[in-house]
Amino acid sequence: MLEKCITCALSQTRPPREIVIVDASEDWQANRTRIAHLIGGRVPLQYLPAPERSSTVQRNTAIKACSSDICMLIDDDSLMHPDCAEIIMQAYEIDVDGELLGIAGVEGPSPMDVLSVARKVGSANHGRLASFRQTRLMQFLWRELFLMSRAVNFVPYAGPAGSRLPSWTAERGLDLAPTLQLPGCRMTARRSVLLQEPFEPAFRSYSPGEDFDISYRLSRIGTICVARNAKIYHHEIAASRIKREQETVLSICNAAFLLRKHSPNLGRDRRLWSLLMSRRLLAEALKDGLSRRWKLPQMRAAWRAAAISRGILKHADDDTLAGCYISIQQGILTKPTPSH
C-alpha cells in the first residue's frame, strides 16, 4: 500500500519537493530499499525509523526532518488524485499573509486499483445507523444522541474551536470550506506552525483523536479549512488498525489526558467530562443494541475507559503525567477489552 501511496505522490501535477517517511515496522530498512528503488532519485527521500510506535511521534519526527514550508501529512494508505497537491498549494501560495494554517483534502474514489490490499472491516453499527441520517432531526440525533462526531466527544480546554474563512478566498475563486477537523489521512499544514504546536507526543499506537486535537489548537490561532476539489482516497488497511474496543478506550482516555494536560479550570472541566461520559455510555449501549451485540462490548469498553479517565483527571503531578499515561496506554493495548 505504501508503494501505491508513493506512486500517487510522484504522479502529482505539482510534484513533491521531498518525501519523508517514518516507519514503525521492524523491517523498515527493507521497506526503505524498496521505496528508494521506486522513487529512483526523482525526489529527495528521507526514510527514518520511528522512535516510538506512535502515529503522533512519527508525525512530529517527519515534520522536524523535512525542510518544505507545507507538510502534506497523509497516511501510508492515502492515495492522492493527480491534481490534489496543486489545488492545495495554490491556496497556500495565494495566502501571502499566512492566514490559512491547515488545509484538508476531501474523500474521493481510489485513483488506482487497490483490490489486492485488505481493508479494515467496517463497523456493523455504522452501516445501520447511517441510514438514520436522512433528515435534520436524524442528523441531530446522530450527532447528539449517538455521539457520532469527534467534536461532541471533545471537551474544549482553551475556548471555542473554529474560525471563519477570510473573505479573499471566495474573491480569488478558491473553493474552500471552514472545518473543525483536518482528518489525519488528508491533512496538510504549515511546518512553522506545526513546530510550535506539535502533535501530542505522549500518545502511542494508532492515537485516536490526534487529528482533532491538533486541528483544535490550530483553529485557535488561525484558519483551518477543506479544499473541496482536492481529492484523496483513504483505504484504511486492516493491518494498521487496532481493535474497535481498544480504539474506543483509547479515544476516550486520550481526550481525558488532553483535558488534564491543558485545562485552565480542571474543576469545571471534570464536571463537563462526567456529563459527557454519561452520554457516551448511553450512546454506546444504544449502538450495541441496534447492532445486536448483546454482550454490549462497546458500552463495556466505554465503562472501562470512564474508570481509567477518572484516574487520569485526578493525577496530581504535571511532571509525571505523560509518563504515567504512556504506561496506561500500554496496558490498554496489551490487555484489550474482550470482544463479543
Side-chain angles (χ1 to χ4, degrees):
M1 194 68 208
L2 177 59
E3 292 180 359
K4 295 179 183 294
C5 174
I6 297 302
T7 297
C8 288
L10 295 173
S11 301
Q12 294 295 295
T13 55
R14 174 72 178 267
R17 176 179 171 182
E18 59 185 338
I19 294 176
V20 181
I21 299 172
V22 182
D23 190 337
S25 61
E26 294 180 358
D27 56 347
W28 70 272
Q29 290 174 309
N31 295 337
R32 178 180 62 183
T33 300
R34 288 190 300 110
I35 297 304
H37 178 74
L38 175 65
I39 293 175
R42 287 175 285 175
V43 176
L45 169 68
Q46 291 192 66
Y47 205 109
L48 309 172
E52 299 285 348
R53 287 179 176 270
S54 160
S55 60
T56 56
V57 173
Q58 288 170 253
R59 290 183 192 276
N60 288 338
T61 302
I63 291 162
K64 291 178 182 177
C66 78
S67 59
S68 299
D69 297 328
I70 304 301
C71 297
M72 305 196 79
L73 298 158
I74 60 174
D75 290 346
D76 57 0
D77 53 357
S78 296
L79 307 180
M80 295 189 289
H81 285 226
D83 59 353
C84 177
E86 184 174 5
I87 291 170
I88 290 174
M89 288 303 300
Q90 179 187 24
Y92 280 119
E93 289 169 345
I94 290 175
D95 179 24
V96 293
D97 294 325
E99 294 180 75
L100 305 179
L101 301 186
I103 303 174
V106 297
E107 181 69 27
S110 177
M112 61 169 57
D113 177 32
V114 288
L115 295 177
S116 61
V117 184
R119 295 196 71 179
K120 170 185 173 183
V121 177
S123 170
N125 70 283
H126 189 276
R128 292 188 179 99
L129 291 174
S131 63
F132 289 0
R133 302 175 65 185
Q134 305 299 320
T135 67
R136 288 185 179 180
L137 174 60
M138 293 306 174
Q139 290 172 6
F140 174 82
L141 294 176
W142 173 267
R143 184 181 68 252
E144 300 296 335
L145 179 60
F146 295 107
L147 302 186
M148 299 293 286
S149 165
R150 286 288 188 194
V152 297
N153 285 284
F154 183 86
V155 177
Y157 47 74
S163 52
R164 294 182 179 180
L165 279 175
S167 59
W168 56 262
T169 58
E171 295 167 0
R172 298 296 299 271
L174 297 176
D175 191 6
L176 305 177
T179 186
L180 291 176
Q181 180 179 5
L182 303 168
C185 59
R186 303 191 295 273
M187 176 187 300
T188 77
R190 296 185 183 274
R191 179 174 181 266
S192 58
V193 180
L194 292 173
L195 291 173
Q196 299 172 27
E197 295 285 343
F199 289 83
E200 175 49 57
F203 285 175
R204 292 294 178 267
S205 183
Y206 175 49
S207 306
E210 55 159 349
D211 49 1
F212 196 88
D213 173 52
I214 193 71
S215 301
Y216 171 71
R217 285 185 275 131
L218 293 182
S219 77
R220 295 285 298 158
I221 57 179
T223 298
I224 62 172
C225 57
V226 173
R228 289 185 282 209
N229 292 322
K231 294 183 175 62
I232 302 179
Y233 170 74
H234 187 215
H235 190 66
E236 293 192 279
I237 56 175
S240 71
R241 296 293 179 264
I242 58 180
K243 293 181 179 179
R244 184 176 63 225
E245 288 80 13
Q246 286 177 309
E247 182 178 353
T248 297
V249 176
L250 271 182
S251 65
I252 292 172
C253 291
N254 282 356
F257 170 79
L258 292 170
L259 196 61
R260 169 59 186 85
K261 178 177 179 178
H262 296 290
S263 172
N265 188 339
L266 201 52
R268 174 202 64 194
D269 288 341
R270 280 198 191 110
R271 292 189 292 272
L272 292 174
W273 183 259
S274 296
L275 177 60
L276 175 60
M277 285 301 95
S278 298
R279 295 176 62 198
R280 184 67 183 262
L281 288 167
L282 173 61
E284 298 303 337
L286 290 171
K287 286 184 279 188
D288 278 333
L290 285 169
S291 298
R292 301 181 180 88
R293 297 191 297 252
W294 306 123
K295 292 185 178 180
L296 305 179
Q298 286 296 103
M299 193 196 77
R300 290 165 59 198
W303 183 272
R304 179 188 177 196
I308 297 171
S309 297
R310 285 193 291 271
I312 295 169
L313 291 169
K314 291 178 181 178
H315 191 87
D317 188 352
D318 290 350
D319 294 334
T320 61
L321 176 64
C324 178
Y325 187 55
I326 289 172
S327 296
I328 289 172
Q329 291 171 91
Q330 290 168 345
I332 294 169
L333 293 165
T334 55
K335 298 177 182 179
T337 301
S339 184
H340 66 294

